[in-house]
Amino acid sequence: MNVGFVGLGHMGGAIALNLVKAGHQVTVWNRTPEKAAPLVTLGARRAESPRQAASGDIVISMLADDRAVEEVVFGEKGILSADAGAIHVSMSTISVELAERLAAAHAETVSPFVSAPVFGRPAIAMAGRLTILAAGAPAALEACAPVFSAIGHRVFQLGETPSAANLVKLCGNFMMMSAVEAMGEAMTLAKSRISPEMLFDVLTEALFPGPVYETYSQILIDAAYKPARFGALLALKDMNLMAAAANQSRVPMPLLGVVRDHLLGAIAQFGDDVDSSAIALVVERNAERAA
Ligand code: NAP
């Protein structure tokens, strides 16, 4: 297929590479143009603007946050100014509110809109094994299938309302951070009598098998808070998006407040480059002060 790709950061660069490898004709654009060079060497075309990247069958955006997506979509030479009718697949982790605005704006044009945020870090993206949460019109989702199969190992189809996929993504990240908070509190309490290795060996086998507990318990055991895999700043952005959704729907979420405050504490104490799992370290330091 003729696929445009906008946003060649850690995630986007890896996803676009897999599209090139799968034989799609890929046209790339990035705010910092140098990041497109390795893909161009491998056969991708360079677009001069997001609008030009949106001149094929599909245009995928994978950008940092709401502001970036707004600029790239609604800007003067943005995706929405293209008239080719490309399906816009938005993979960034953005607010529910922006996803709703994007869906409404695309509905005024000939370009269908699909929300498709993902679970999986850059290494998973590089391996083509992302989990894709997709929502949009059935015909548009069907047309995206060859692209999704090149970059992910599982696609969850979540209905016709695009913002539902964004909400599932945010709920997933909130539950992941809540699990790390719980692990950090349990480890801090238990470590005077049992090693973190033994504690988590028992708990992940007996009660909590699965990727989140297994991955993060090892990070806590190793105290591997730098370099960041899923950075505290990105996680804080997601918890703020979750809080906005909770406010909009008037749902009290006290646990979300704890996780958000500990992320802020982790950034303040250990720097912008710390991993999100350092919320466990905040719990440990608080306990040391209280002792
Ligand atoms: P990243 O490496 O920081 O890349 C961000 C991308 O957004 C870059 O291409 C950057 O362009 C672009 N960008 C930022 N501000 C912009 C603006 N104002 N106008 C135009 N382009 C702009 O981030 P990432 O790790 O790839 O994450 C991308 C998205 O995936 C985020 O929404 C993130 O929450 C989500 N996500 C990340 C992970 C993860 O583990 N990293 C996992 C799942 C989902 P420049 O190159 O010019 O800076």
Side-chain angles (χ1 to χ4, degrees), residues 8-11 30-32 35 62-64 68 71 93 120 237:
L8 303 171
H10 292 102
M11 295 293 286
N30 194 62
R31 178 180 64 175
T32 308
K35 286 190 191 167
M62 187 44 141
L63 298 152
E71 285 181 23
T93 305
K237 173 201 77 163

Side-chain angles (χ1 to χ4, degrees), residues 133-157:
L133 311 167
L141 292 178
E142 201 180 315
C144 293
V147 161
F148 288 161
S149 69
I151 63 180
H153 80 126
R154 179 81 205 265
V155 182
F156 289 92
Q157 294 212 0

Side-chain angles (χ1 to χ4, degrees), residues 18 55 60 112 120 132 152 180 195 197 200 202 226 231 278:
N18 281 322
S55 60
I60 299 175
I132 301 168
V180 178
S195 71
E197 287 88 337
F200 289 131
V202 173
K226 286 188 186 179

Side-chain angles (χ1 to χ4, degrees), residues 7-12 29-32 35 62-65 67-68 71-72 91-94 118-122 169 229-230 234 237-238:
L8 303 171
H10 292 102
M11 295 293 286
W29 180 87
N30 194 62
R31 178 180 64 175
T32 308
K35 286 190 191 167
M62 187 44 141
L63 298 152
D65 52 21
R67 203 176 119 200
E71 285 181 23
V72 161
M91 299 196 124
S92 320
T93 305
I94 55 167
V118 297
F119 288 130
R121 293 183 302 275
K169 165 68 185 168
R229 297 155 213 235
F230 175 44
L234 271 185
K237 173 201 77 163
D238 295 351

Side-chain angles (χ1 to χ4, degrees), residues 191-271:
K191 73 178 180 184
S192 63
R193 291 181 181 79
I194 189 160
S195 71
E197 287 88 337
M198 268 190 192
L199 174 75
F200 289 131
D201 267 359
V202 173
L203 296 181
T204 54
E205 196 173 327
L207 296 177
F208 302 109
V212 170
Y213 286 95
E214 284 159 18
T215 303
Y216 281 96
S217 63
Q218 196 56 52
I219 291 174
L220 267 52
I221 289 166
D222 298 338
Y225 302 116
K226 286 188 186 179
R229 297 155 213 235
F230 175 44
L233 280 175
L234 271 185
L236 179 63
K237 173 201 77 163
D238 295 351
M239 296 310 106
N240 284 332
L241 295 179
M242 191 71 180
N247 281 340
Q248 195 186 20
S249 299
R250 294 192 165 205
V251 175
M253 296 187 69
L255 191 51
L256 174 62
V258 172
V259 169
R260 190 181 159 279
D261 283 357
H262 280 173
L263 280 167
L264 278 168
I267 293 162
Q269 290 179 53
F270 314 118

